[in-house]
Amino acid sequence: MPDTPWLHIVGIGEDGLDGLTPATRAVVEAAEVILGGDRHHALASTVGAERLAWPSPFDAMIDTIRGLRGRRAVVLVTGDPLWFSVGARIGRAIDPSEIVYHPQLSAFQLAAARMGWSLADVETLTVHGRPVAQMVAFIQPDARLLVLTTGAQTPAQIARFLTDRGFGQSRMTVLAAMGGPQEARFDGTAEGWDHEVPAFNTLAVECIAAPDAALLPRVPGLEDALFQSDGTMTKREVRAATLAKLMPMRGALLWDIGCGSGSVAIEWMRAARYARAIGIEPRDDRRAMAGANALALGAPKLELVEGQAPEALDGLTPPDAIFIGGGLSEAVFAAAWDALRPLGRLVANAVTLESEAVLMALHARHGGDLVRLSVCRAEPVGGLTGWRPAMPVTQWSLVKR
């Protein structure tokens, strides 16, 4: 039988207790102990309960909350506790049967109402406590973005990202203290943004592309020139075919073995929300390029590991997909295949005869799909134009059943 709920996680807005339903307000007013930030406590200052601040370090929060078991405990959060909020994190650590959630209007709902936007037609993002550069992957012509920010400096950072990519005409609106007496609004364009805004704010962006704007679709196959590289990288057309076999999915983890400039790992992360990637690369210069590419293309959470497979694979989180782009051997495949989760996808590319021979032998024993990819590009030949072939790539892929 599930435990009796003892923990209430209450979303509260700028209108404080007055904005709560009568039942939720009664829960807060009957609390013995309330946990929240300074802002939350101020919004419910008339309640005579014991007050606890968010612990430091923040990771101690779960132990602090567990210590409240047996008491009438309330955690105050902003808006909807389960939409980019700490309520979801608490629910992963404490059985949801012990928790009652009390949602309030989220910042996204309030911002969409202020802007007159349908939530079904916008991307909702958070960079609160996360790398701001991750929003770069969502800069698309005519896209509408609602962004929970990290602080007063975030809108200016996003304005620079937009301007640098040819979206300087994009309309930006910062909304602060929505629903309260101090509600404020700041409007402008990315290229002319100069507002000083409150630290607690939500940003609305309507992306407007200039004729020369960088087009960075989330469908794999970005131009090779967008990546810093020493020339050793999975080229555009082969990369797109590789990602199709790897099948990026929400929250899934990729191992990119021999990641080089990181092109496959970065496109994997761009292709699905919350997709993660670990790049294993022995060379310092290539890891540096991969890190710079990840920041520039909106995948700042790419994890880079120094070392050579198979030894460098020890202790890594088991992946949902593996790409072997360099350093292929029987031993590397064996270690990777053992670590791969059920229904995991493995793709290995080879351009040399020696690597191709390894793929042929592995295919003979394990099955899967074996294809050869050949790409030719039109290039000048004297005063005319001809086809110049790239090195063919042999690709082996299979799914772990």
Side-chain angles (χ1 to χ4, degrees), residues 307-391:
Q308 189 84 42
E311 294 79 12
L313 307 180
D314 290 344
L316 299 182
T317 302
D320 302 285
I322 297 173
F323 173 57
I324 305 176
L328 175 66
S329 69
E330 297 264 1
V332 169
F333 167 75
W337 189 250
D338 285 346
L340 189 62
R341 298 179 62 193
L343 293 182
R345 290 79 66 196
L346 186 144
V347 178
N349 290 352
V351 295
T352 66
L353 293 176
E354 292 79 5
S355 293
E356 185 178 88
V358 175
L359 285 190
M360 300 286 282
L362 289 170
H363 174 255
R365 292 200 300 273
H366 298 278
D369 293 328
L370 191 65
V371 300
R372 173 163 290 188
L373 305 172
S374 181
V375 176
C376 296
R377 291 188 174 86
E379 294 185 5
V381 179
L384 303 174
T385 304
W387 292 109
R388 187 176 300 279
M391 291 184 67

Side-chain angles (χ1 to χ4, degrees), residues 130-150:
R130 309 180 191 195
V132 179
Q134 67 184 4
M135 67 80 55
V136 169
F138 297 87
I139 299 175
Q140 308 286 341
D142 303 320
R144 287 177 169 177
L145 314 176
L146 292 177
V147 187
L148 301 181
T149 69
T150 291

Side-chain angles (χ1 to χ4, degrees), residues 52-135:
L52 297 178
W54 292 123
S56 182
F58 193 70
D59 288 342
M61 170 188 65
I62 299 301
D63 289 338
T64 299
I65 293 173
R66 286 189 176 125
L68 303 178
R69 189 189 301 270
R71 305 178 70 186
R72 295 193 302 276
V74 168
V75 175
L76 292 179
V77 300
T78 300
D80 187 338
L82 292 172
W83 200 350
F84 290 141
S85 178
V86 73
R89 183 173 175 185
I90 296 171
R92 289 192 293 268
I94 297 175
D95 193 317
S97 66
E98 302 179 55
I99 303 171
V100 178
Y101 291 97
H102 301 262
Q104 180 59 280
L105 286 174
S106 71
F108 293 133
Q109 291 168 298
L110 290 169
R114 300 299 188 270
M115 300 300 297
W117 294 353
S118 166
L119 270 176
D121 299 326
V122 304
E123 291 278 7
T124 55
L125 315 172
T126 181
V127 298
H128 185 72
R130 309 180 191 195
V132 179
Q134 67 184 4
M135 67 80 55

Side-chain angles (χ1 to χ4, degrees), residues 139 156-170 172 189-193:
I139 299 175
Q157 290 177 290
I158 291 176
R160 285 194 295 274
F161 290 146
L162 290 161
T163 303
D164 290 347
R165 287 155 180 80
F167 286 77
Q169 299 173 50
S170 298
M172 295 178 48
T189 63
E191 60 192 3
W193 190 262

Side-chain angles (χ1 to χ4, degrees), residues 182-249:
Q182 304 301 316
E183 180 167 339
R185 174 173 177 150
F186 306 83
D187 293 289
T189 63
E191 60 192 3
W193 190 262
D194 61 355
H195 292 292
E196 293 185 10
V197 301
F200 189 70
N201 67 75
T202 301
L203 173 64
V205 180
E206 187 168 6
C207 296
I208 300 174
D212 60 348
L215 294 178
L216 305 178
R218 297 181 68 193
V219 175
L222 292 177
E223 294 181 20
D224 294 341
L226 292 171
F227 296 90
Q228 293 184 33
S229 171
D230 59 5
T232 304
M233 66 179 293
T234 304
K235 300 300 191 293
R236 180 181 192 177
E237 293 81 5
V238 174
R239 191 185 329 123
T242 298
L243 267 296
K245 292 292 184 66
L246 289 170
M247 303 181 223
M249 296 181 185

